[in-house]
Structure formats: structure tokens, C-alpha cells
Amino acid sequence: MIPYGKQIISQDDIDAVVNILRSPLITQGPAVKAFEDAVAGYCGAKYAAAVNSGTAALHIACLALGIGAGDTVWVSSVSFVASSNCALYCGADVDFVDLEYGTGNMDMDRLEAKLESARIRPKAVIVVHLAGMPADLEKLHELSKKYGFKIIEDACHALGAAYRGEKIGSCRYSDITVFSFHPVKAITTGEGGMAVTNDAELHRRMKLFGTHGITRDAEFMEGETDGGWVYQQLELGYNYRMPDINAALGISQLKNLDEWIRIRNEYADFYFDRLKDIEQIELPGICDDRLCAYHLFVIKVKPDRRRYVYDSLREAGIGANVHYIPIYHQPYYRRTGRYKPLEMTEKYYSRILTIPLCPALKQKDLDYVAEELKRICSKI
Ligand SMILES: *Cc1c(COP(=O)(O)O)cnc(C)c1O
């Protein structure tokens, strides 16, 4: 099966991991800080907190912003469930914002209308850069000033993407940006995630929440301390630490990131060119002021034909997929009875299909996918 995404592991990556395995510290050593600095430097943020998954990074981001019971968080409607689960972990309520049909990203006009009419305004908005295409951050930022909410970018698809000439993760328009290093993402640490910010206090709180809520820094301790051994638990935190083994892999992987994003764009260009004449297919929306990381390549077909195209691709050994089922369709969310179908989200979801695109594929794989799609579509 040609996968929709998969990692590339080089001998350098293996050597980097083995080096750590032979070193005194395989966790809580120097590699984590080095990886944090490397990612912060790459995307132009001041601070970074590495954790053991993108989900954990979303969770500490919510905790650091003080999201809790009684708060409401608004989230992109089509994403992986972790994008909104993180707010539920904190005891907050979640609501969803409808999307733009072309990119599947949060529709800022619909967000504005929802803010205008909302009885309860959100404490934070979690915006997903779906498939690696940055959402309209400037508009979102303007709305956040007007309506007083915080912004978390779920950039799990968008490491290496850029918005108006600046890397996603610069946090120019947001409080915190979150990345995942799961093997299907742009670079991998096995499992892993990171939250970047320009705010020292948010960074301190994220580090705290990722390490049991414990500090060893006398500056932040309460009362008199008994001696050098004292640590204090200041918050109810979690063990979300990234091991040095994984961080070393991340440092090594990061060196390839720009090249891999270039290949992803080259492959996307190939699909745009080869699929543009297939009338049964709609191609993904593009935005001139943004560099898409092409984590996914999402086409659209007629709703009543999608199952056939999906099944036919799978039969042909092509790992087609659907990213994603709207979060509010999930039984866990549906059961609450709180969510009504969103118009554009439903229209979008009924048509989407992800076809394979990642640097681990060869040109001949892409040729095959394009040929098969053409053949399959000629029958519908
Ligand atoms: C992968 C992903 C996550 C979760 O990341 P993990 O590292 O798997 O926990 C969250 N949001 C989005 C949009 C993702 O694609």
C-alpha cells in the first residue's frame, strides 16, 4: 500500500540516537534543550517546550493560558480530535467554528459572525493549519484583539509552512504554537511534540505543567526552604517529558525539514498539473501569501462517488484516507447533544479524500496514483 505519509530515517538519525543511548543521560539530559533551541530558532520564536506528543503540547498550552472549568474554547471543526480534547482535559467547554470550502481552514468571516452573535465568547480559539496550509492568522489576530480571546495555533501539520513570509511558529499572531513529531508529520521523534511562544511566563508555565507542576527553581518557590534538596509542586502537572533519545532524533531530522518541504511542494505541483484536467476532481484551495507544508494533499469528489473512489484506490494499493471526520461527529461529542451540524463543514467532509504525498514516496509512486485516479474517475 502506498501510504499517505511516512517517515524517512537516515543513518545520521540512527547514529544520533545511538549516541544518546551510549551517553550517561537518556532522558532529561542536554538533547532536549538543544532540540527546543533548534525548533525555536527555526521558526523564529523565543521559547520552546518539548513534550512527548503533540497532544501533550496542546494540553500544556491550554493549561498555561489558564483554561479551565467555566471557560469555552472554540476550535476548527475539521481536525484530529486532539485539537479539541485538550480543552476538555482542562474542564472547559468546546465549540466549533465552520470552515472555508477550499482549504478546510477556519473561516474567519464565519468566526466573526459567530463572535458577534455569541452569548458566551471564547477564552481561546484553537486554529488548525489544516493539511499544512496556514489559516488567515492576521484576521484571527484582529478578531482576538476586538473580542479578547487567546490564540493557540495547532500547527501539527504546518512545521515548515509560512504565512506572509514568516515561518509558522513565529507566534506573531498567536500566544502559543504547537507542533507534533509523530512519524506521519513533517519531522519525527517517534512520538513527540513542542509548544513555542514569545512569552516567558507562558513558557515557564508550560514547562511546569509538563513536569508534574514541580519546580526546582528557588525564585518560584513558596515560603522558606529547608535546603538544596527541596523541590516544590506548584500546580497539578503531568509527566509529559520528552526523552533525550527522541530529542536527538528530532535534532537530526530537523536538518532535512526545508528540503522535505520543498519536495512536498514539488509533489503537490505535480498533482495540481496532472489532476487539473480530471473533471470529477476538485483540487485543494491555495493562498498566494502562504507557503503550504503539504502535510496532506486533499482532493474532493462528489459525495455519492467518494466511497467508490476510496475503495478503488485502496484496491489499487493506494492508501487513500479521509482527513478528517468533523470532530463533532464523534460519538463522544455527539452524545453531549450540544453540537449542530455546520453547513460548510458538512459539505466539505462529504467530498474530501487524501491521496498519498510525502518525501518518502518516489516520482513513480506519484505517477501511479495520478494514473489510477484518472482511470477510476473515468468510470464515475
Ligand atoms: C497529529 C496531530 C495532533 C496530535 O499530535 P500527536 O503527536 O499525535 O499527539 C494534534 N492535532 C493535529 C491537527 C494533528 O494532526
Side-chain angles (χ1 to χ4, degrees):
M1 191 74 82
I2 300 175
Y4 79 86
K6 98 173 203 218
Q7 75 280 8
I8 297 174
I9 301 291
S10 68
Q11 188 59 47
D12 284 351
D13 293 335
I14 294 166
D15 294 344
V17 170
V18 170
N19 266 341
I20 296 291
L21 291 172
R22 295 191 202 286
S23 76
L25 297 171
I26 61 172
T27 191
Q28 295 182 267
V32 169
K33 177 73 168 70
F35 185 38
E36 289 172 340
D37 290 347
V39 172
Y42 176 86
C43 53
K46 282 197 187 140
Y47 310 100
V51 283
N52 53 23
S53 71
T55 304
L58 285 164
H59 190 190
I60 59 168
C62 289
L63 290 166
L65 288 172
I67 291 165
D71 294 327
T72 297
V73 175
W74 289 4
V75 187
S76 300
S77 56
V78 164
S79 182
F80 185 54
V81 292
S83 301
S84 59
N85 284 347
C86 56
L88 298 183
Y89 296 158
C90 301
D93 292 328
V94 161
D95 200 1
F96 298 97
V97 182
D98 209 350
L99 51 73
E100 320 167 334
Y101 181 73
T103 60
N105 275 332
M106 186 180 287
D107 183 326
M108 298 308 162
D109 293 332
R110 287 172 191 264
L111 172 63
E112 185 166 20
K114 190 175 165 77
L115 286 163
E116 232 0 273
S117 64
R119 198 170 42 81
I120 303 165
R121 295 223 170 107
K123 170 141 177 171
V125 168
I126 300 177
V127 65
V128 179
H129 302 309
L130 194 66
M133 176 64 86
D136 188 353
L137 288 170
E138 195 174 312
K139 182 75 196 279
L140 179 61
H141 183 72
E142 274 169 28
L143 293 173
S144 78
K145 294 290 160 235
K146 183 165 175 201
Y147 294 95
F149 57 82
K150 303 289 183 187
I151 299 173
I152 298 173
E153 295 174 64
D154 179 343
C156 290
H157 297 180
L159 181 63
Y163 178 81
R164 301 195 177 158
E166 259 179 314
K167 289 263 159 63
I168 290 296
S170 77
C171 296
R172 176 183 291 277
Y173 305 100
S174 67
D175 296 281
I176 298 168
T177 301
V178 167
F179 300 112
S180 163
F181 308 119
H182 179 278
V184 299
K185 309 293 164 82
I187 64 167
T188 190
T189 60
E191 295 277 2
M194 202 174 291
V196 299
T197 182
N198 292 322
D199 183 316
E201 179 61 9
L202 284 178
H203 177 248
R204 186 187 70 80
R205 285 171 59 78
M206 290 197 289
K207 292 295 276 187
L208 194 66
F209 280 112
T211 52
H212 308 274
I214 286 174
T215 185
R216 291 179 181 278
D217 187 340
E219 191 190 333
F220 298 106
M221 290 191 190
E222 293 174 9
E224 289 294 305
T225 63
D226 300 337
W229 65 86
V230 169
Y231 59 83
Q232 287 188 349
Q233 185 191 341
L234 303 176
E235 300 281 357
L236 183 61
Y238 300 81
N239 179 358
Y240 281 162
R241 288 192 300 260
M242 175 182 282
D244 276 47
I245 302 166
N246 305 64
L249 179 55
I251 294 167
S252 179
Q253 286 261 308
L254 186 62
K255 295 176 184 149
N256 303 299
L257 178 59
D258 283 334
E259 173 62 6
W260 287 343
I261 297 296
R262 190 192 64 71
I263 295 171
R264 284 177 181 274
N265 274 271
E266 189 182 303
Y267 284 180
D269 286 345
F270 170 83
Y271 278 146
F272 274 109
D273 188 50
R274 285 291 294 276
L275 306 180
K276 69 176 186 297
D277 297 326
I278 305 179
E279 62 185 42
Q280 296 88 342
I281 290 179
E282 280 181 86
L283 290 164
I286 50 176
C287 307
D288 290 338
D289 58 348
R290 301 166 214 185
L291 174 69
C292 183
Y294 284 107
H295 169 61
L296 304 170
F297 196 86
V298 180
I299 61 170
K300 300 189 191 82
V301 294
K302 280 221 180 94
D304 59 348
R305 298 281 123 210
R306 178 173 60 175
R307 187 185 288 226
Y308 172 78
V309 177
Y310 172 88
D311 289 342
S312 305
L313 285 168
R314 290 248 154 191
E315 262 168 45
I318 294 166
N321 225 309
V322 171
H323 295 97
Y324 295 87
I325 302 164
I327 296 173
Y328 60 76
H329 280 204
Q330 297 297 340
Y332 185 83
Y333 284 82
R334 208 187 274 262
R335 249 181 253 142
T336 66
R338 287 187 186 181
Y339 306 109
K340 293 199 185 65
L342 298 170
E343 182 196 358
M344 201 51 77
T345 297
E346 295 301 318
K347 180 173 171 192
Y348 179 84
Y349 167 61
S350 66
R351 290 163 167 79
I352 50 171
L353 204 54
T354 302
I355 58 173
L357 192 167
C358 60
L361 299 181
K362 299 277 180 283
Q363 182 60 48
K364 70 167 172 36
D365 299 318
L366 300 186
D367 286 329
Y368 178 69
V369 173
E371 273 316 302
E372 284 300 298
L373 256 178
K374 196 168 172 188
R375 181 184 64 77
I376 292 161
C377 286
S378 71
K379 297 195 208 156
I380 62 176

